[in-house]
Amino acid sequence: MTELLAIHDELESAIDDRDRFFAANERFHRRLLELAGNRWRQQIVTDLRRVMKLTRHQSLQREGRIAASLDEHRRILAALQARDAAGAQALTRAHIAEGERAALPYGANGSRQPS
């Protein structure tokens, strides 16, 4: 957990540097998967990340997405520290859904229009 918190500190300090944020975000998510201890899931996610890398990077370009992602991570970390497995799982699912929504083109599937 200490390593995960250290990586998240890197994320917090990289809020104004999308490339640095993206790299730390990759490490954060990889570490979460390692902590879960499911090698099969790790391999599937690694393969998917290779395919989706550009889309994920673009999703962080959305206005407010980095701040929202950090807030989602904070909530997940709080649930993990509280040993609230069900809460951490629900928050992780919501985080994934928000990331998917941010990766959609504006206006697709109900995503908000740019202002």
Side-chain angles (χ1 to χ4, degrees):
M1 187 70 180
T2 302
E3 184 182 354
L4 191 60
L5 290 169
I7 296 168
H8 197 266
D9 286 344
E10 287 181 55
L11 282 167
E12 296 280 1
S13 69
I15 194 164
D16 293 323
D17 182 341
R18 281 188 170 89
D19 290 332
R20 203 170 121 226
F21 184 91
F22 183 74
N25 194 48
E26 287 281 317
R27 288 193 311 278
F28 180 83
H29 285 264
R30 260 196 323 267
R31 186 63 184 134
L32 270 175
L33 284 167
E34 290 167 1
L35 289 171
N38 185 326
R39 288 184 181 174
W40 180 77
R41 184 182 321 163
Q42 281 177 268
Q43 186 59 52
I44 290 172
V45 171
T46 298
D47 292 344
L48 284 172
R49 282 184 176 279
R50 284 187 196 121
V51 172
M52 297 173 54
K53 191 168 192 164
L54 180 59
T55 303
R56 282 193 337 279
H57 196 274
Q58 288 173 340
S59 74
L60 292 174
Q61 301 292 334
R62 286 284 167 101
E63 185 177 333
R65 183 62 199 140
I66 287 178
S69 179
L70 282 172
D71 186 54
E72 293 158 13
H73 287 175
R74 287 183 206 114
R75 292 178 191 190
I76 292 166
L77 287 169
L80 290 171
Q81 289 177 311
R83 299 189 181 276
D84 178 4
Q89 182 181 45
L91 290 164
T92 299
R93 286 184 176 163
H95 176 59
I96 291 167
E98 286 302 312
E100 289 172 346
R101 190 178 72 77
L104 291 173
Y106 279 114
N109 292 336
S111 64
R112 68 179 181 82
Q113 296 293 321
S115 50

